[in-house]
Amino acid sequence: MEWSDVRIFLAVLRSGSYGEAARRLGVSHPTVGRRIKVLEDGAGQALFRRTSDGLVLTDAGDGIVAAAEAMEQSALSVERRLSGNHERLEGVLRIGCAEWFAGYVLAPVFMELANQHPAVVPEVIAGYRLSDLARRDVDVAFRLVPFTEPDIVQRRLMRMHYGLYGSSTTIERMTDDPASVGLIFMNEAQSHFPDVAWMRERFPKAHRTFSSTSRSVQAQMCLQGAGLAVLPRPLGDATAGLVRIDADGSPPGRDIWVGYHQDLKRMDRLRALIELADAMLATE
């Protein structure tokens, strides 16, 4: 197998489409399709199949991923040695996590990673949906629940503390008429979150005025006076104009878990990020 073809195979795998792989590699769309066909003709079977979500691996394609990534690491090692700096880490590192966690918790970690390894490019795939590490949607994921998928290396990273927040106008309204204050929640799919039960217990006469899967959107609506919101403290404390309220105890905290597929355990840039996250966050 030609490394140039394997490189294209990995780009298609990580991007999910020929067009995006071509853009990342700086080649034409037909070139990507032609080189994948060469690989498939040589293997005698398809490596990808089309779905409504893009290209996904067939069993045959999945069977060569580890070998392709090993070839990638070897090729990068050759490039580093030829450049006279075999210790230099480089490449894109895809990270899955909630938007607020990337912006208000991981941002200093990303900056320190850039200071130490400027050729590593973090690419954050932000959202509340759980990334599929087995399909390699991302290289590493940070989330609120442990990983249940097979072949995932995981550990508890830190404890995230939450607070109850409101704008100055909301706090005045709460003092005058607690029942008139609105509550800002996650949406129905996340109604089982412990902070939702905590708020309902403490404000039984209040009504829901807004819901969103985005904590950042909740923070902004809270700032606009839509109601009270339970927010991660790194987000709430950093949002100018929001006041953290002492409500006879703090909302329940949540553990943050970090995980990646075991096939990536030798990826140097992945290990560098996790080591920095441990050093900068694990004690909080």
Side-chain angles (χ1 to χ4, degrees), residues 80-130:
R80 288 193 294 268
R81 289 179 182 275
L82 289 176
S83 69
N85 181 12
H86 64 276
E87 297 297 331
R88 185 171 186 255
L89 305 187
E90 58 188 335
V92 173
L93 182 63
R94 291 166 58 84
I95 301 142
C97 62
E99 181 182 2
W100 67 266
F101 191 75
Y104 293 91
V105 179
L106 287 181
V109 178
F110 296 150
M111 287 306 301
E112 185 59 29
L113 182 68
N115 291 335
Q116 295 187 20
H117 307 289
V120 175
V121 182
E123 181 179 295
V124 173
I125 313 300
Y128 75 96
R129 295 186 182 277
L130 301 182

Side-chain angles (χ1 to χ4, degrees), residues 68-247:
E69 290 178 337
M71 185 180 288
E72 176 186 44
Q73 291 303 314
S74 296
L76 291 174
S77 177
V78 170
E79 291 176 5
R80 288 193 294 268
R81 289 179 182 275
L82 289 176
S83 69
N85 181 12
H86 64 276
E87 297 297 331
R88 185 171 186 255
L89 305 187
E90 58 188 335
V92 173
L93 182 63
R94 291 166 58 84
I95 301 142
C97 62
E99 181 182 2
W100 67 266
F101 191 75
Y104 293 91
V105 179
L106 287 181
V109 178
F110 296 150
M111 287 306 301
E112 185 59 29
L113 182 68
N115 291 335
Q116 295 187 20
H117 307 289
V120 175
V121 182
E123 181 179 295
V124 173
I125 313 300
Y128 75 96
R129 295 186 182 277
L130 301 182
S131 300
D132 189 338
L133 292 172
R135 281 189 53 187
R136 294 173 178 83
D137 290 346
V138 296
D139 298 319
V140 58
F142 297 84
R143 68 191 207 187
L144 292 170
V145 294
F147 298 79
T148 58
E149 305 90 326
D151 303 323
I152 301 301
V153 179
Q154 65 173 311
R155 68 173 174 272
R156 177 186 174 278
L157 174 68
M158 62 183 293
R159 185 71 173 173
M160 179 57 60
H161 299 290
Y162 287 70
L164 178 67
Y165 294 86
S167 66
S168 56
T169 56
T170 299
I171 293 173
E172 290 177 6
R173 194 161 63 247
M174 183 175 67
T175 303
D176 296 335
D177 183 9
S180 68
V181 175
L183 302 179
I184 299 172
F185 290 149
M186 300 295 287
N187 70 347
E188 287 300 324
Q190 282 77 40
S191 61
H192 61 282
F193 278 23
D195 58 278
V196 175
W198 184 88
M199 288 184 75
R200 283 175 170 157
E201 178 182 338
R202 277 157 179 74
F203 303 98
K205 296 182 179 180
H207 60 287
R208 181 174 67 174
T209 55
F210 187 81
S211 62
S212 173
T213 60
S214 169
R215 293 288 192 184
S216 297
V217 173
Q218 291 178 30
Q220 289 304 309
M221 291 304 296
C222 184
L223 183 61
Q224 294 296 321
L228 300 173
V230 170
L231 301 170
R233 286 185 54 178
L235 167 61
D237 291 351
T239 303
L242 287 185
V243 179
R244 181 151 43 92
I245 303 167
D246 183 5

